[in-house]
Every structure is written in structure tokens, then in C-alpha cells.
PDB file of all heavy atoms in Angstrom:
ATOM      1  N   ARG O   1      17.284   4.812  -5.936  1.00  0.00           N
ATOM      2  CA  ARG O   1      17.541   3.352  -5.833  1.00  0.00           C
ATOM      3  C   ARG O   1      16.663   2.672  -4.949  1.00  0.00           C
ATOM      4  O   ARG O   1      16.064   1.530  -5.201  1.00  0.00           O
ATOM      5  CB  ARG O   1      19.055   3.074  -5.446  1.00  0.00           C
ATOM      6  CG  ARG O   1      19.415   1.595  -5.389  1.00  0.00           C
ATOM      7  CD  ARG O   1      20.777   1.442  -4.921  1.00  0.00           C
ATOM      8  NE  ARG O   1      21.158  -0.035  -4.798  1.00  0.00           N
ATOM      9  CZ  ARG O   1      21.922  -0.503  -3.855  1.00  0.00           C
ATOM     10  NH1 ARG O   1      22.582   0.194  -2.940  1.00  0.00           N
ATOM     11  NH2 ARG O   1      22.135  -1.787  -3.874  1.00  0.00           N
ATOM     12  N   PHE O   2      16.259   3.383  -3.775  1.00  0.00           N
ATOM     13  CA  PHE O   2      15.326   2.830  -2.789  1.00  0.00           C
ATOM     14  C   PHE O   2      13.968   2.743  -3.430  1.00  0.00           C
ATOM     15  O   PHE O   2      13.269   1.693  -3.310  1.00  0.00           O
ATOM     16  CB  PHE O   2      15.298   3.679  -1.541  1.00  0.00           C
ATOM     17  CG  PHE O   2      14.596   3.082  -0.414  1.00  0.00           C
ATOM     18  CD1 PHE O   2      15.177   2.392   0.624  1.00  0.00           C
ATOM     19  CD2 PHE O   2      13.186   3.211  -0.297  1.00  0.00           C
ATOM     20  CE1 PHE O   2      14.582   1.892   1.564  1.00  0.00           C
ATOM     21  CE2 PHE O   2      12.529   2.696   0.724  1.00  0.00           C
ATOM     22  CZ  PHE O   2      13.287   2.000   1.752  1.00  0.00           C
ATOM     23  N   GLY O   3      13.594   3.769  -4.217  1.00  0.00           N
ATOM     24  CA  GLY O   3      12.234   3.816  -4.787  1.00  0.00           C
ATOM     25  C   GLY O   3      12.109   2.660  -5.769  1.00  0.00           C
ATOM     26  O   GLY O   3      11.132   1.951  -5.995  1.00  0.00           O
ATOM     27  N   THR O   4      13.182   2.553  -6.658  1.00  0.00           N
ATOM     28  CA  THR O   4      13.145   1.450  -7.715  1.00  0.00           C
ATOM     29  C   THR O   4      13.024  -0.010  -7.082  1.00  0.00           C
ATOM     30  O   THR O   4      12.325  -0.760  -7.498  1.00  0.00           O
ATOM     31  CB  THR O   4      14.407   1.469  -8.545  1.00  0.00           C
ATOM     32  OG1 THR O   4      14.397   2.743  -9.202  1.00  0.00           O
ATOM     33  CG2 THR O   4      14.433   0.366  -9.675  1.00  0.00           C
ATOM     34  N   ALA O   5      13.772  -0.331  -5.998  1.00  0.00           N
ATOM     35  CA  ALA O   5      13.832  -1.461  -5.285  1.00  0.00           C
ATOM     36  C   ALA O   5      12.472  -1.807  -4.647  1.00  0.00           C
ATOM     37  O   ALA O   5      12.065  -2.868  -4.546  1.00  0.00           O
ATOM     38  CB  ALA O   5      14.903  -1.516  -4.205  1.00  0.00           C
ATOM     39  N   LEU O   6      11.846  -0.705  -4.097  1.00  0.00           N
ATOM     40  CA  LEU O   6      10.553  -0.861  -3.484  1.00  0.00           C
ATOM     41  C   LEU O   6       9.558  -1.300  -4.412  1.00  0.00           C
ATOM     42  O   LEU O   6       8.659  -2.155  -4.069  1.00  0.00           O
ATOM     43  CB  LEU O   6      10.161   0.527  -2.719  1.00  0.00           C
ATOM     44  CG  LEU O   6       8.886   0.538  -2.010  1.00  0.00           C
ATOM     45  CD1 LEU O   6       8.799  -0.489  -0.910  1.00  0.00           C
ATOM     46  CD2 LEU O   6       8.592   2.021  -1.500  1.00  0.00           C
ATOM     47  N   LYS O   7       9.512  -0.632  -5.606  1.00  0.00           N
ATOM     48  CA  LYS O   7       8.515  -0.960  -6.614  1.00  0.00           C
ATOM     49  C   LYS O   7       8.749  -2.370  -7.133  1.00  0.00           C
ATOM     50  O   LYS O   7       7.762  -3.197  -7.304  1.00  0.00           O
ATOM     51  CB  LYS O   7       8.627  -0.010  -7.744  1.00  0.00           C
ATOM     52  CG  LYS O   7       7.583  -0.244  -8.852  1.00  0.00           C
ATOM     53  CD  LYS O   7       7.866   0.832  -9.968  1.00  0.00           C
ATOM     54  CE  LYS O   7       6.789   0.650 -11.038  1.00  0.00           C
ATOM     55  NZ  LYS O   7       6.947   1.713 -12.171  1.00  0.00           N
ATOM     56  N   ALA O   8       9.951  -2.831  -7.200  1.00  0.00           N
ATOM     57  CA  ALA O   8      10.308  -4.199  -7.701  1.00  0.00           C
ATOM     58  C   ALA O   8       9.866  -5.155  -6.757  1.00  0.00           C
ATOM     59  O   ALA O   8       9.572  -6.352  -7.004  1.00  0.00           O
ATOM     60  CB  ALA O   8      11.746  -4.309  -8.108  1.00  0.00           C
ATOM     61  N   ALA O   9       9.937  -4.861  -5.440  1.00  0.00           N
ATOM     62  CA  ALA O   9       9.668  -5.769  -4.263  1.00  0.00           C
ATOM     63  C   ALA O   9       8.146  -6.076  -4.258  1.00  0.00           C
ATOM     64  O   ALA O   9       7.690  -7.108  -3.634  1.00  0.00           O
ATOM     65  CB  ALA O   9      10.179  -5.314  -3.035  1.00  0.00           C
ATOM     66  N   GLY O  10       7.335  -5.302  -4.862  1.00  0.00           N
ATOM     67  CA  GLY O  10       5.884  -5.454  -4.800  1.00  0.00           C
ATOM     68  C   GLY O  10       5.386  -5.474  -3.408  1.00  0.00           C
ATOM     69  O   GLY O  10       4.787  -6.533  -2.900  1.00  0.00           O
ATOM     70  N   PRO O  11       5.444  -4.416  -2.651  1.00  0.00           N
ATOM     71  CA  PRO O  11       4.985  -4.398  -1.271  1.00  0.00           C
ATOM     72  C   PRO O  11       3.513  -4.659  -1.084  1.00  0.00           C
ATOM     73  O   PRO O  11       2.765  -4.247  -1.995  1.00  0.00           O
ATOM     74  CB  PRO O  11       5.421  -2.894  -0.783  1.00  0.00           C
ATOM     75  CG  PRO O  11       5.384  -2.138  -2.021  1.00  0.00           C
ATOM     76  CD  PRO O  11       5.904  -3.051  -3.073  1.00  0.00           C
ATOM     77  N   PRO O  12       3.042  -5.116   0.032  1.00  0.00           N
ATOM     78  CA  PRO O  12       1.661  -5.530   0.190  1.00  0.00           C
ATOM     79  C   PRO O  12       0.830  -4.335   0.761  1.00  0.00           C
ATOM     80  O   PRO O  12       0.026  -4.425   1.598  1.00  0.00           O
ATOM     81  CB  PRO O  12       1.675  -6.682   1.225  1.00  0.00           C
ATOM     82  CG  PRO O  12       2.938  -6.419   2.007  1.00  0.00           C
ATOM     83  CD  PRO O  12       3.927  -5.845   1.027  1.00  0.00           C
ATOM     84  N   PHE O  13       1.189  -3.154   0.322  1.00  0.00           N
ATOM     85  CA  PHE O  13       0.597  -1.937   0.742  1.00  0.00           C
ATOM     86  C   PHE O  13       0.703  -0.814  -0.296  1.00  0.00           C
ATOM     87  O   PHE O  13       1.508  -0.938  -1.133  1.00  0.00           O
ATOM     88  CB  PHE O  13       1.075  -1.449   2.059  1.00  0.00           C
ATOM     89  CG  PHE O  13       2.595  -1.305   2.127  1.00  0.00           C
ATOM     90  CD1 PHE O  13       3.156  -0.092   1.695  1.00  0.00           C
ATOM     91  CD2 PHE O  13       3.454  -2.288   2.694  1.00  0.00           C
ATOM     92  CE1 PHE O  13       4.554   0.071   1.646  1.00  0.00           C
ATOM     93  CE2 PHE O  13       4.761  -2.217   2.803  1.00  0.00           C
ATOM     94  CZ  PHE O  13       5.343  -0.989   2.244  1.00  0.00           C
ATOM     95  N   GLU O  14      -0.173   0.233  -0.244  1.00  0.00           N
ATOM     96  CA  GLU O  14      -0.134   1.283  -1.220  1.00  0.00           C
ATOM     97  C   GLU O  14       1.153   2.123  -0.811  1.00  0.00           C
ATOM     98  O   GLU O  14       1.312   2.548   0.395  1.00  0.00           O
ATOM     99  CB  GLU O  14      -1.400   2.067  -1.180  1.00  0.00           C
ATOM    100  CG  GLU O  14      -2.578   1.364  -1.714  1.00  0.00           C
ATOM    101  CD  GLU O  14      -2.439   1.102  -3.236  1.00  0.00           C
ATOM    102  OE1 GLU O  14      -1.760   1.884  -3.958  1.00  0.00           O
ATOM    103  OE2 GLU O  14      -2.970   0.071  -3.692  1.00  0.00           O
ATOM    104  N   THR O  15       2.056   2.408  -1.765  1.00  0.00           N
ATOM    105  CA  THR O  15       3.286   3.138  -1.431  1.00  0.00           C
ATOM    106  C   THR O  15       2.982   4.664  -1.569  1.00  0.00           C
ATOM    107  O   THR O  15       3.477   5.394  -0.703  1.00  0.00           O
ATOM    108  CB  THR O  15       4.384   2.752  -2.398  1.00  0.00           C
ATOM    109  OG1 THR O  15       4.015   2.911  -3.749  1.00  0.00           O
ATOM    110  CG2 THR O  15       4.763   1.274  -2.162  1.00  0.00           C
ATOM    111  N   GLY O  16       2.209   5.089  -2.538  1.00  0.00           N
ATOM    112  CA  GLY O  16       1.975   6.517  -2.705  1.00  0.00           C
ATOM    113  C   GLY O  16       3.395   7.196  -3.012  1.00  0.00           C
ATOM    114  O   GLY O  16       4.309   6.637  -3.644  1.00  0.00           O
ATOM    115  N   LYS O  17       3.413   8.477  -2.684  1.00  0.00           N
ATOM    116  CA  LYS O  17       4.683   9.242  -2.897  1.00  0.00           C
ATOM    117  C   LYS O  17       5.690   8.681  -1.924  1.00  0.00           C
ATOM    118  O   LYS O  17       5.530   8.664  -0.763  1.00  0.00           O
ATOM    119  CB  LYS O  17       4.429  10.612  -2.678  1.00  0.00           C
ATOM    120  CG  LYS O  17       5.566  11.632  -3.053  1.00  0.00           C
ATOM    121  CD  LYS O  17       5.082  13.054  -2.959  1.00  0.00           C
ATOM    122  CE  LYS O  17       6.319  13.934  -3.411  1.00  0.00           C
ATOM    123  NZ  LYS O  17       5.926  15.355  -3.380  1.00  0.00           N
ATOM    124  N   LEU O  18       7.002   8.451  -2.392  1.00  0.00           N
ATOM    125  CA  LEU O  18       7.970   7.824  -1.602  1.00  0.00           C
ATOM    126  C   LEU O  18       8.435   8.700  -0.402  1.00  0.00           C
ATOM    127  O   LEU O  18       8.562   8.251   0.677  1.00  0.00           O
ATOM    128  CB  LEU O  18       9.198   7.425  -2.461  1.00  0.00           C
ATOM    129  CG  LEU O  18      10.396   6.971  -1.714  1.00  0.00           C
ATOM    130  CD1 LEU O  18      10.008   5.537  -1.105  1.00  0.00           C
ATOM    131  CD2 LEU O  18      11.609   6.691  -2.653  1.00  0.00           C
ATOM    132  N   SER O  19       8.613  10.007  -0.657  1.00  0.00           N
ATOM    133  CA  SER O  19       8.992  10.885   0.393  1.00  0.00           C
ATOM    134  C   SER O  19       8.004  10.933   1.597  1.00  0.00           C
ATOM    135  O   SER O  19       8.416  10.878   2.797  1.00  0.00           O
ATOM    136  CB  SER O  19       9.238  12.268  -0.213  1.00  0.00           C
ATOM    137  OG  SER O  19       8.004  12.780  -0.741  1.00  0.00           O
ATOM    138  N   LYS O  20       6.732  10.939   1.242  1.00  0.00           N
ATOM    139  CA  LYS O  20       5.691  10.921   2.263  1.00  0.00           C
ATOM    140  C   LYS O  20       5.664   9.580   2.952  1.00  0.00           C
ATOM    141  O   LYS O  20       5.539   9.561   4.225  1.00  0.00           O
ATOM    142  CB  LYS O  20       4.339  11.165   1.639  1.00  0.00           C
ATOM    143  CG  LYS O  20       3.181  11.332   2.572  1.00  0.00           C
ATOM    144  CD  LYS O  20       1.868  11.701   1.850  1.00  0.00           C
ATOM    145  CE  LYS O  20       0.709  11.809   2.959  1.00  0.00           C
ATOM    146  NZ  LYS O  20      -0.503  12.184   2.198  1.00  0.00           N
ATOM    147  N   LEU O  21       5.855   8.475   2.315  1.00  0.00           N
ATOM    148  CA  LEU O  21       5.885   7.181   2.923  1.00  0.00           C
ATOM    149  C   LEU O  21       7.034   7.096   3.939  1.00  0.00           C
ATOM    150  O   LEU O  21       6.788   6.612   5.073  1.00  0.00           O
ATOM    151  CB  LEU O  21       6.044   6.136   1.844  1.00  0.00           C
ATOM    152  CG  LEU O  21       6.236   4.682   2.262  1.00  0.00           C
ATOM    153  CD1 LEU O  21       5.047   4.185   2.970  1.00  0.00           C
ATOM    154  CD2 LEU O  21       6.550   3.851   1.127  1.00  0.00           C
ATOM    155  N   LEU O  22       8.138   7.547   3.531  1.00  0.00           N
ATOM    156  CA  LEU O  22       9.377   7.467   4.469  1.00  0.00           C
ATOM    157  C   LEU O  22       9.180   8.383   5.682  1.00  0.00           C
ATOM    158  O   LEU O  22       9.500   8.021   6.824  1.00  0.00           O
ATOM    159  CB  LEU O  22      10.605   7.805   3.655  1.00  0.00           C
ATOM    160  CG  LEU O  22      11.027   6.801   2.609  1.00  0.00           C
ATOM    161  CD1 LEU O  22      12.256   7.357   1.716  1.00  0.00           C
ATOM    162  CD2 LEU O  22      11.399   5.460   3.182  1.00  0.00           C
ATOM    163  N   ASP O  23       8.760   9.711   5.398  1.00  0.00           N
ATOM    164  CA  ASP O  23       8.529  10.612   6.507  1.00  0.00           C
ATOM    165  C   ASP O  23       7.549  10.051   7.457  1.00  0.00           C
ATOM    166  O   ASP O  23       7.679  10.441   8.667  1.00  0.00           O
ATOM    167  CB  ASP O  23       8.186  11.944   5.923  1.00  0.00           C
ATOM    168  CG  ASP O  23       9.242  12.620   5.049  1.00  0.00           C
ATOM    169  OD1 ASP O  23      10.330  12.187   5.115  1.00  0.00           O
ATOM    170  OD2 ASP O  23       8.877  13.489   4.279  1.00  0.00           O
ATOM    171  N   GLY O  24       6.546   9.408   6.999  1.00  0.00           N
ATOM    172  CA  GLY O  24       5.487   8.936   7.901  1.00  0.00           C
ATOM    173  C   GLY O  24       5.872   7.908   8.862  1.00  0.00           C
ATOM    174  O   GLY O  24       5.321   7.536   9.858  1.00  0.00           O
ATOM    175  N   THR O  25       7.015   7.135   8.649  1.00  0.00           N
ATOM    176  CA  THR O  25       7.394   6.172   9.499  1.00  0.00           C
ATOM    177  C   THR O  25       8.223   6.639  10.798  1.00  0.00           C
ATOM    178  O   THR O  25       8.265   5.917  11.830  1.00  0.00           O
ATOM    179  CB  THR O  25       8.353   5.139   8.705  1.00  0.00           C
ATOM    180  OG1 THR O  25       9.572   5.775   8.434  1.00  0.00           O
ATOM    181  CG2 THR O  25       7.740   4.590   7.518  1.00  0.00           C
ATOM    182  N   GLY O  26       8.813   7.759  10.603  1.00  0.00           N
ATOM    183  CA  GLY O  26       9.617   8.316  11.757  1.00  0.00           C
ATOM    184  C   GLY O  26      10.955   7.533  11.854  1.00  0.00           C
ATOM    185  O   GLY O  26      11.706   7.765  12.773  1.00  0.00           O
ATOM    186  N   ALA O  27      11.150   6.515  11.046  1.00  0.00           N
ATOM    187  CA  ALA O  27      12.409   5.749  11.099  1.00  0.00           C
ATOM    188  C   ALA O  27      13.516   6.147  10.248  1.00  0.00           C
ATOM    189  O   ALA O  27      14.688   5.658  10.217  1.00  0.00           O
ATOM    190  CB  ALA O  27      12.094   4.282  10.859  1.00  0.00           C
ATOM    191  N   PHE O  28      13.236   7.094   9.323  1.00  0.00           N
ATOM    192  CA  PHE O  28      14.228   7.499   8.273  1.00  0.00           C
ATOM    193  C   PHE O  28      14.385   8.979   8.193  1.00  0.00           C
ATOM    194  O   PHE O  28      13.457   9.781   8.581  1.00  0.00           O
ATOM    195  CB  PHE O  28      13.795   6.963   6.901  1.00  0.00           C
ATOM    196  CG  PHE O  28      13.646   5.474   6.680  1.00  0.00           C
ATOM    197  CD1 PHE O  28      12.412   4.780   6.856  1.00  0.00           C
ATOM    198  CD2 PHE O  28      14.757   4.766   6.503  1.00  0.00           C
ATOM    199  CE1 PHE O  28      12.372   3.392   6.740  1.00  0.00           C
ATOM    200  CE2 PHE O  28      14.739   3.371   6.376  1.00  0.00           C
ATOM    201  CZ  PHE O  28      13.495   2.695   6.481  1.00  0.00           C
ATOM    202  N   GLN O  29      15.518   9.354   7.704  1.00  0.00           N
ATOM    203  CA  GLN O  29      15.747  10.805   7.272  1.00  0.00           C
ATOM    204  C   GLN O  29      16.085  10.771   5.870  1.00  0.00           C
ATOM    205  O   GLN O  29      16.590   9.838   5.412  1.00  0.00           O
ATOM    206  CB  GLN O  29      16.876  11.412   8.147  1.00  0.00           C
ATOM    207  CG  GLN O  29      16.442  11.537   9.593  1.00  0.00           C
ATOM    208  CD  GLN O  29      17.524  12.374  10.381  1.00  0.00           C
ATOM    209  OE1 GLN O  29      18.018  13.382   9.980  1.00  0.00           O
ATOM    210  NE2 GLN O  29      17.960  11.751  11.561  1.00  0.00           N
ATOM    211  N   ARG O  30      16.011  11.908   5.225  1.00  0.00           N
ATOM    212  CA  ARG O  30      16.319  11.993   3.765  1.00  0.00           C
ATOM    213  C   ARG O  30      16.636  13.436   3.328  1.00  0.00           C
ATOM    214  O   ARG O  30      16.233  14.391   4.084  1.00  0.00           O
ATOM    215  CB  ARG O  30      15.094  11.474   2.949  1.00  0.00           C
ATOM    216  CG  ARG O  30      13.886  12.222   3.140  1.00  0.00           C
ATOM    217  CD  ARG O  30      12.736  11.841   2.189  1.00  0.00           C
ATOM    218  NE  ARG O  30      11.590  12.702   2.373  1.00  0.00           N
ATOM    219  CZ  ARG O  30      11.500  13.883   1.802  1.00  0.00           C
ATOM    220  NH1 ARG O  30      12.424  14.396   0.938  1.00  0.00           N
ATOM    221  NH2 ARG O  30      10.429  14.640   2.030  1.00  0.00           N
ATOM    222  N   ASP O  31      17.197  13.495   2.251  1.00  0.00           N
ATOM    223  CA  ASP O  31      17.278  14.778   1.448  1.00  0.00           C
ATOM    224  C   ASP O  31      16.830  14.613   0.089  1.00  0.00           C
ATOM    225  O   ASP O  31      16.081  13.604  -0.171  1.00  0.00           O
ATOM    226  CB  ASP O  31      18.708  15.350   1.592  1.00  0.00           C
ATOM    227  CG  ASP O  31      19.698  14.432   0.985  1.00  0.00           C
ATOM    228  OD1 ASP O  31      19.331  13.469   0.213  1.00  0.00           O
ATOM    229  OD2 ASP O  31      20.931  14.561   1.403  1.00  0.00           O
ATOM    230  N   GLN O  32      17.172  15.389  -0.850  1.00  0.00           N
ATOM    231  CA  GLN O  32      16.694  15.157  -2.251  1.00  0.00           C
ATOM    232  C   GLN O  32      17.365  14.038  -2.932  1.00  0.00           C
ATOM    233  O   GLN O  32      16.819  13.636  -4.033  1.00  0.00           O
ATOM    234  CB  GLN O  32      16.873  16.459  -2.997  1.00  0.00           C
ATOM    235  CG  GLN O  32      16.137  17.709  -2.450  1.00  0.00           C
ATOM    236  CD  GLN O  32      14.512  17.409  -2.486  1.00  0.00           C
ATOM    237  OE1 GLN O  32      14.054  16.932  -3.463  1.00  0.00           O
ATOM    238  NE2 GLN O  32      13.954  17.708  -1.370  1.00  0.00           N
ATOM    239  N   ILE O  33      18.416  13.480  -2.313  1.00  0.00           N
ATOM    240  CA  ILE O  33      19.246  12.485  -3.102  1.00  0.00           C
ATOM    241  C   ILE O  33      19.241  11.215  -2.302  1.00  0.00           C
ATOM    242  O   ILE O  33      19.230  10.169  -2.850  1.00  0.00           O
ATOM    243  CB  ILE O  33      20.598  12.962  -3.416  1.00  0.00           C
ATOM    244  CG1 ILE O  33      20.623  14.314  -4.216  1.00  0.00           C
ATOM    245  CG2 ILE O  33      21.454  11.947  -4.074  1.00  0.00           C
ATOM    246  CD1 ILE O  33      21.915  14.937  -4.418  1.00  0.00           C
ATOM    247  N   HIS O  34      19.417  11.190  -0.921  1.00  0.00           N
ATOM    248  CA  HIS O  34      19.684  10.085  -0.204  1.00  0.00           C
ATOM    249  C   HIS O  34      18.644   9.845   0.962  1.00  0.00           C
ATOM    250  O   HIS O  34      17.879  10.789   1.227  1.00  0.00           O
ATOM    251  CB  HIS O  34      21.046  10.201   0.577  1.00  0.00           C
ATOM    252  CG  HIS O  34      22.215  10.157  -0.353  1.00  0.00           C
ATOM    253  ND1 HIS O  34      22.754  11.422  -0.865  1.00  0.00           N
ATOM    254  CD2 HIS O  34      22.888   9.184  -1.064  1.00  0.00           C
ATOM    255  CE1 HIS O  34      23.752  11.076  -1.704  1.00  0.00           C
ATOM    256  NE2 HIS O  34      23.842   9.724  -1.771  1.00  0.00           N
ATOM    257  N   VAL O  35      18.577   8.628   1.369  1.00  0.00           N
ATOM    258  CA  VAL O  35      17.705   8.182   2.532  1.00  0.00           C
ATOM    259  C   VAL O  35      18.650   7.518   3.469  1.00  0.00           C
ATOM    260  O   VAL O  35      19.540   6.742   3.059  1.00  0.00           O
ATOM    261  CB  VAL O  35      16.564   7.379   2.123  1.00  0.00           C
ATOM    262  CG1 VAL O  35      16.962   6.175   1.387  1.00  0.00           C
ATOM    263  CG2 VAL O  35      15.771   7.059   3.335  1.00  0.00           C
ATOM    264  N   TRP O  36      18.462   7.726   4.831  1.00  0.00           N
ATOM    265  CA  TRP O  36      19.233   7.046   5.841  1.00  0.00           C
ATOM    266  C   TRP O  36      18.402   6.810   7.064  1.00  0.00           C
ATOM    267  O   TRP O  36      17.423   7.413   7.231  1.00  0.00           O
ATOM    268  CB  TRP O  36      20.581   7.642   6.152  1.00  0.00           C
ATOM    269  CG  TRP O  36      20.433   9.129   6.649  1.00  0.00           C
ATOM    270  CD1 TRP O  36      20.454   9.524   8.068  1.00  0.00           C
ATOM    271  CD2 TRP O  36      20.136  10.366   6.043  1.00  0.00           C
ATOM    272  NE1 TRP O  36      20.174  10.925   8.173  1.00  0.00           N
ATOM    273  CE2 TRP O  36      20.103  11.363   6.824  1.00  0.00           C
ATOM    274  CE3 TRP O  36      20.094  10.708   4.508  1.00  0.00           C
ATOM    275  CZ2 TRP O  36      19.850  12.717   6.464  1.00  0.00           C
ATOM    276  CZ3 TRP O  36      19.826  11.990   4.232  1.00  0.00           C
ATOM    277  CH2 TRP O  36      19.762  13.015   5.200  1.00  0.00           C
TER     278      TRP O  36
END
């Protein structure tokens, strides 16, 4: 759901792979199903 919403929002930056994007911020944790 997060990935779909991110794509629809049209962010002003290259998203690349979602897992790598989230891990790189240091602000989120995730597993194969959820992000928090």
C-alpha cells in the first residue's frame, strides 16, 4: 500500500527499489509485508 501511494503521489525524486529507499532513511523499519 505504501509503494502504491508513493507512486501515485509522484515524488520529486527517484524512488528506485522501495525497500532500499526506506532502509536508507533510517526512519523506518519493515519486514516483507509491513513498514513502520
Side-chain angles (χ1 to χ4, degrees):
R1 185 182 176 212
F2 192 95
T4 299
L6 178 62
K7 184 177 180 180
F13 52 83
E14 292 293 330
T15 58
K17 190 174 181 180
L18 179 58
S19 58
K20 185 176 181 180
L21 175 66
L22 294 172
D23 293 346
T25 66
F28 298 96
Q29 293 186 48
R30 64 175 182 83
D31 55 25
Q32 296 300 314
I33 301 176
H34 295 95
V35 57
W36 62 94

